[in-house]
Amino acid sequence: MDISKKLGVAAMATIALTLSTAIHSNVSAASDPYKDVAQASPWAKGLIQEAQDKMFMNGDREGYFHPLQEVTRQEAAVALAKLLGLQLSNNVVSSFSDVAPGSWSESAINAVQKAGWMNGDRNGTFRPKAVITREELASILARATQVDAVAVQEDELPAIKDSQKISAWAKNSVSSVVSSGLMTGSNGSFHPQKPVLRQELAAILVRMDSKTTSNKLQTIKKIENGMVTIGNTNYSVTEALKPLFSENNVAALANAEVRVETVDDRITKVFELKLLTPGQGAESGKKSSQVIPY
């Protein structure tokens, strides 16, 4: 069934107009290529664009992505918290002595710590600006995605030429993420001690997204008095998103599926919206849908 026939042309026009005006400001640059994308490896260029389009990663205000720049621990924390939809809060003070209150990464660092994905050191520091290595990221991804981690012997690791360079604590995680396809190496080597580059992180986030998409969308249960119920949680919304979640769109958004960013029970960004309508009853029992990307 054509969704526009079910919802009506006016309703669809309202949704489309709202989406065009309520999107986060960074999206305005999404259609423009980065000035330095030519520096990226050929295999990474399309993945960088996809990571940008899906708002997993952004460039700087001057329009540069810095594909060959090394990724810091705080950058990895922010990217993973965003991609996997962790609840963020600006009201929780970090327990790490080196995470400044109110800093741009504080809420994400708190979230990944609470989820058990990233921890600090024995001195109570998180080292937010420290560069993250490939084996460190592999360990984090194994915890975050819960890929099967099976104890392996040295000769049981995937065909990795430099497996002897992988730290003992990271071997199971590297084996898991390589086997699952989340991370790859080059020329048969994993390069566990090398820093993760931004172009590599973009590729990993896109792969993770393709493997976890079905788990990210949540159903809009109710929109009433400026509040949106998603799943079993009630959220307020930012001013920019109020037109989208207005009373005029209640019928159009009924049972729609959505992927959002929330801060302190407030919807701050909408990354993906999937409108659903009932099928033809006993004739098919299916649902037709239209995905509206952000």
Side-chain angles (χ1 to χ4, degrees):
M1 176 188 296
D2 185 345
I3 191 171
S4 63
K5 293 180 181 178
K6 178 66 179 179
L7 296 180
V9 175
M12 288 301 298
T14 300
I15 293 291
L17 177 61
T18 303
L19 296 185
S20 67
T21 56
I23 295 175
H24 187 264
S25 59
N26 283 340
V27 179
S28 60
S31 60
D32 298 327
Y34 290 112
K35 296 177 181 178
D36 59 350
V37 72
Q39 298 176 10
S41 301
W43 58 263
K45 293 178 180 178
L47 296 170
I48 289 173
Q49 184 66 52
E50 186 173 351
Q52 179 199 26
D53 291 344
K54 294 183 176 180
M55 295 180 65
F56 299 156
M57 296 179 71
N58 296 311
D60 59 25
R61 294 179 180 178
E62 286 71 42
Y64 294 93
F65 184 78
H66 307 288
L68 303 182
Q69 182 174 296
E70 297 170 348
V71 176
T72 63
R73 283 172 53 83
Q74 64 181 350
E75 288 174 330
V78 170
L80 290 174
K82 179 185 296 185
L83 173 66
L84 297 178
L86 291 184
Q87 282 274 20
L88 304 181
S89 175
N90 291 327
N91 297 325
V92 179
V93 178
S94 176
S95 61
F96 298 115
S97 60
D98 58 346
V99 176
S103 60
W104 66 273
S105 61
E106 181 187 22
S107 60
I109 290 173
N110 291 339
V112 295
Q113 179 196 25
K114 183 178 180 180
W117 301 348
M118 298 181 71
N119 299 303
D121 56 28
R122 295 178 180 178
N123 298 319
T125 59
F126 184 80
R127 296 178 292 114
K129 297 182 180 179
V131 171
I132 193 166
T133 66
R134 287 174 54 80
E135 66 177 6
E136 289 173 337
L137 182 60
S139 180
I140 294 167
L141 294 180
R143 289 192 291 268
T145 61
Q146 298 182 344
V147 292
D148 294 333
V150 181
V152 295
Q153 301 298 322
E154 183 70 28
D155 57 358
E156 293 178 337
L157 281 169
I160 300 175
K161 294 179 181 178
D162 57 352
S163 60
Q164 292 184 344
K165 296 181 180 180
I166 302 172
S167 300
W169 54 265
K171 288 185 182 296
N172 291 343
S173 297
V174 170
S175 176
S176 298
V177 298
V178 170
S179 297
S180 67
L182 288 179
M183 294 185 71
T184 61
S186 60
N187 299 320
S189 297
F190 185 76
H191 308 292
Q193 309 296 333
K194 282 190 174 182
V196 177
L197 303 181
R198 281 176 57 81
Q199 66 177 11
E200 293 174 333
L201 181 59
I204 291 168
L205 294 175
V206 170
R207 294 188 200 113
M208 289 178 65
D209 177 61
S210 67
K211 292 177 180 295
T212 61
T213 295
S214 61
N215 297 326
K216 294 184 306 178
L217 294 175
Q218 293 181 291
T219 301
I220 297 177
K221 296 293 184 63
K222 184 172 64 174
I223 300 175
E224 186 176 45
N225 298 325
M227 300 294 292
V228 181
T229 303
I230 300 177
N232 297 317
T233 306
N234 295 323
Y235 298 97
S236 60
V237 300
T238 61
E239 287 295 324
L241 290 174
K242 284 184 178 180
L244 174 61
F245 295 108
S246 69
E247 298 294 328
N248 294 333
N249 288 334
V250 169
L253 294 175
N255 295 316
E257 294 180 343
V258 68
R259 180 166 65 90
V260 301
E261 176 184 88
T262 63
V263 177
D264 298 325
D265 293 329
R266 189 182 194 192
I267 300 174
T268 56
K269 296 178 186 176
V270 177
F271 297 120
E272 186 176 354
L273 177 63
K274 187 175 183 180
L275 303 180
L276 301 175
T277 61
Q280 294 292 341
E283 187 174 331
S284 64
K286 297 181 179 179
K287 292 182 178 180
S288 63
S289 63
Q290 176 172 333
V291 176
I292 301 178
Y294 268 71

